[in-house]
Amino acid sequence: MANISEISGDSNDGGDPNKKPEELVKKPEEQVLRRSRRIATRNENQNKKPKEEEEEDNRSVSFPIPNELTEACVALIRKCDYPSLSSVSSYFFNLIASSELYETRSRLGLSETFLYAAIRFPDTNAPNWYILHRNKVSSLRLSKLESLPPVPYGCSVVTIGQEMYVIGGLLHIRRLQLMTLIDCRTHKCRSLPKMKRGRYHAAAGVFDGKIYVIGGFRMRKPDAEWIEVFDLKKQSWESLPGPYPKTSTDSQFFAHAVMEDKLYILGSRCLIYEPKRNGEWDATVNANPIWNLWKVPCTMQCVIDDMLYTIDPQCTLGHPIVVYNPKDKTWRPVKGESLGSLPSYFFSKSEMANFGGKLVILGSHGSCYNTGDCIGKKGIWCVMIELEKREGGEIWGKVESLDCVLGDINFLSVRLCQTLTL
């Protein structure tokens, strides 16, 4: 009876003296269950917060690790793994899209150079964006960027910081007025204000926070819309009234490059535009020796340390790769034993790029290298050349690597290359 009284004494009805002993022990497990429910309800009420307080707590939830520490840890991760990390949560997506993260990477000496290439397959109309990176076994590979739209044929591209600006181009025989900004941190894009005129194969360069776009449409003489300038701060276009070249020129160009704050333009003749000198055109351009080796049909080029590198199919200077120094206005060959294996015609569908101070050439020719390493092989091949400056102004190059970076497909073509440091 003692045990029964202990249990019933905690219940609401267990102490009734009018109940018989057999009624007190009739269902003791039910009494225990009721007691447990009352305790659980009491604890729940104690822990329960007002709705307003609960919502306030939800809004204030933050990542348990300090932002500075998280940023430093993420900075140590390779950039090629960022897309996977950004899909984990909105916190990581915003962190990877922030400029502070890339400032930390730069401060820690962890910045990486990435090459973006427009690759066209034989069964597609427009090229698509690919990025050159090292995979987990440290091999160079080109990977398609599914989140980006196709690259308009004949567009012009400039890079500013961690962004690329895609200007104009051709779509169904129509010149585009569009300019698209690609954020290379997140590989997202957005449209910017349109140009006043559609442009195709225009020349473009960045000077003092403004994008200068020249030509890109058929005309006999430059008119009031021949030069348009996009102000990055105001996010608006304006037309420059001139001055214009004194000599007649084409308005669709084969290539262009920026050196020493000047825009070098290759058309039927070479033009040199100087935005920082009130838009002057170099009057001595016809006598400039840059015109000697930078010409059609070989129009691939890139600028490294304010010098123009290109291919000379005729090997005029005894070597296939040549470099132009605008300071002394001279051409020099890029010397090197390993470069002697490059054929005079080199790649038939290729592009050059400055890859962190190294010279990169992407090409799809079936016989792109005479050493036998890739003769007759398919796909896109990448030659990485390390450059060295020697006494007397000589430039020497050494083939650092030769890799097939995309597929086992014939008739691929590389339309353009751009590099950024992230």
Side-chain angles (χ1 to χ4, degrees):
M1 295 297 294
N3 289 337
I4 295 174
S5 66
E6 287 176 3
I7 297 174
S8 61
D10 287 335
S11 63
N12 292 332
D13 54 0
D16 189 349
N18 296 323
K19 288 191 176 182
K20 298 178 179 180
E22 58 268 22
E23 291 176 337
L24 294 175
V25 297
K26 187 176 182 180
K27 292 183 180 180
E29 64 276 10
E30 293 181 1
Q31 298 176 18
V32 174
L33 182 60
R34 286 196 298 271
R35 182 187 178 193
S36 299
R37 287 173 177 169
R38 286 197 302 272
I39 294 173
T41 302
R42 184 166 62 249
N43 292 338
E44 183 179 352
N45 290 335
Q46 290 175 353
N47 295 329
K48 191 173 182 180
K49 297 180 180 180
K51 185 176 181 181
E52 294 79 6
E53 185 177 350
E54 184 178 351
E55 291 178 353
E56 180 68 25
D57 287 348
N58 289 337
R59 287 194 296 268
S60 63
V61 169
S62 61
F63 203 71
I65 304 176
N67 289 338
E68 295 79 7
L69 181 57
T70 307
E71 183 179 288
C73 292
V74 173
L76 299 174
I77 301 174
R78 296 190 311 169
K79 175 68 171 63
C80 62
D81 294 322
Y82 280 7
S84 299
L85 183 60
S86 65
S87 63
V88 172
S89 68
S90 59
Y91 174 85
F92 281 112
F93 179 87
N94 293 330
L95 174 61
I96 289 172
S98 68
S99 59
E100 290 79 9
L101 173 62
Y102 296 91
E103 291 173 0
T104 300
R105 286 171 62 85
S106 177
R107 187 170 60 253
L108 296 175
L110 299 172
S111 297
E112 301 174 71
T113 301
F114 293 91
L115 183 147
Y116 290 79
I119 309 294
R120 183 181 182 276
F121 280 69
D123 57 346
T124 59
N125 292 324
N128 288 291
W129 284 112
Y130 283 74
I131 184 171
L132 183 71
H133 65 90
R134 293 192 181 277
N135 58 21
K136 293 183 179 180
V137 294
S138 297
S139 298
L140 286 171
R141 297 294 298 170
L142 278 171
S143 298
K144 186 178 180 180
L145 296 173
E146 301 287 354
S147 62
L148 298 181
V151 186
Y153 181 69
C155 66
S156 304
V157 181
V158 298
T159 60
I160 303 174
Q162 297 143 356
E163 299 169 332
M164 290 194 300
Y165 293 76
V166 183
I167 305 163
L170 200 66
L171 180 64
H172 305 308
I173 319 180
R174 181 172 60 89
R175 289 174 175 80
L176 300 176
Q177 298 172 260
L178 305 176
M179 182 164 73
T180 303
L181 183 151
I182 297 176
D183 189 332
C184 295
R185 297 168 295 186
T186 59
H187 292 149
K188 303 295 182 182
C189 63
R190 61 185 177 90
S191 297
L192 295 175
K194 294 182 180 181
M195 296 179 288
K196 298 180 180 180
R197 196 161 185 172
R199 297 175 187 269
Y200 161 73
H201 280 310
V206 182
F207 305 91
D208 293 334
K210 297 180 179 181
I211 300 175
Y212 288 72
V213 184
I214 301 176
F217 46 85
R218 293 181 179 179
M219 56 178 296
R220 292 185 178 182
K221 293 183 179 180
D223 60 13
E225 294 180 350
W226 198 60
I227 304 174
E228 286 191 68
V229 179
F230 183 76
D231 191 310
L232 294 169
K233 290 184 178 180
K234 297 178 181 179
Q235 293 286 290
S236 61
W237 290 96
E238 64 173 337
S239 299
L240 294 187
Y244 303 120
K246 295 182 179 180
T247 58
S248 60
T249 179
D250 293 335
S251 197
Q252 294 179 179
F253 305 115
F254 301 105
H256 58 274
V258 175
M259 295 183 290
E260 295 189 322
D261 293 327
K262 299 177 183 179
L263 181 58
Y264 290 74
I265 305 171
L266 177 63
S268 58
R269 65 182 69 233
C270 188
L271 302 171
I272 303 177
Y273 181 62
E274 301 182 58
K276 291 190 175 183
R277 296 184 60 182
N278 298 320
E280 292 185 5
W281 295 86
D282 192 335
T284 64
V285 65
N286 292 328
N288 196 311
I290 192 175
W291 183 234
N292 296 340
L293 296 179
W294 191 37
K295 60 180 64 177
V296 180
C298 189
T299 59
M300 64 169 161
Q301 85 289 319
C302 75
V303 175
I304 302 176
D305 294 334
D306 259 348
M307 293 190 292
L308 180 73
Y309 289 78
T310 188
I311 296 293
D312 175 19
Q314 307 301 322
C315 288
T316 307
L317 302 179
H319 298 268
I321 303 178
V322 292
V323 55
Y324 177 78
N325 189 335
K327 288 184 172 63
D328 55 17
K329 298 183 179 180
T330 58
W331 284 99
R332 291 184 176 89
V334 178
K335 300 179 180 180
E337 294 182 3
S338 58
L339 300 182
S341 301
L342 298 172
S344 59
Y345 54 82
F346 208 49
F347 298 108
S348 60
K349 298 178 181 178
S350 58
E351 290 289 339
M352 280 182 167
N354 175 0
F355 195 80
K358 297 178 181 180
L359 179 62
V360 166
I361 306 177
L362 286 182
S364 61
H365 199 282
S367 179
C368 63
Y369 209 70
N370 279 347
T371 61
D373 291 333
C374 63
I375 288 180
K377 294 186 179 181
K378 304 175 184 178
I380 298 290
W381 287 80
C382 174
V383 178
M384 184 85 67
I385 301 173
E386 186 176 4
L387 300 172
E388 178 188 357
K389 293 181 181 180
R390 297 188 179 181
E391 294 183 3
E394 288 189 346
I395 305 292
W396 284 68
K398 179 181 179 181
V399 175
E400 185 179 273
S401 63
L402 173 65
D403 300 286
C404 181
V405 292
L406 180 64
D408 188 24
I409 304 172
N410 272 325
F411 308 112
L412 295 174
S413 61
V414 185
R415 292 305 174 97
L416 61 87
C417 289
Q418 292 288 330
T419 54
L420 297 94
T421 300
L422 299 170

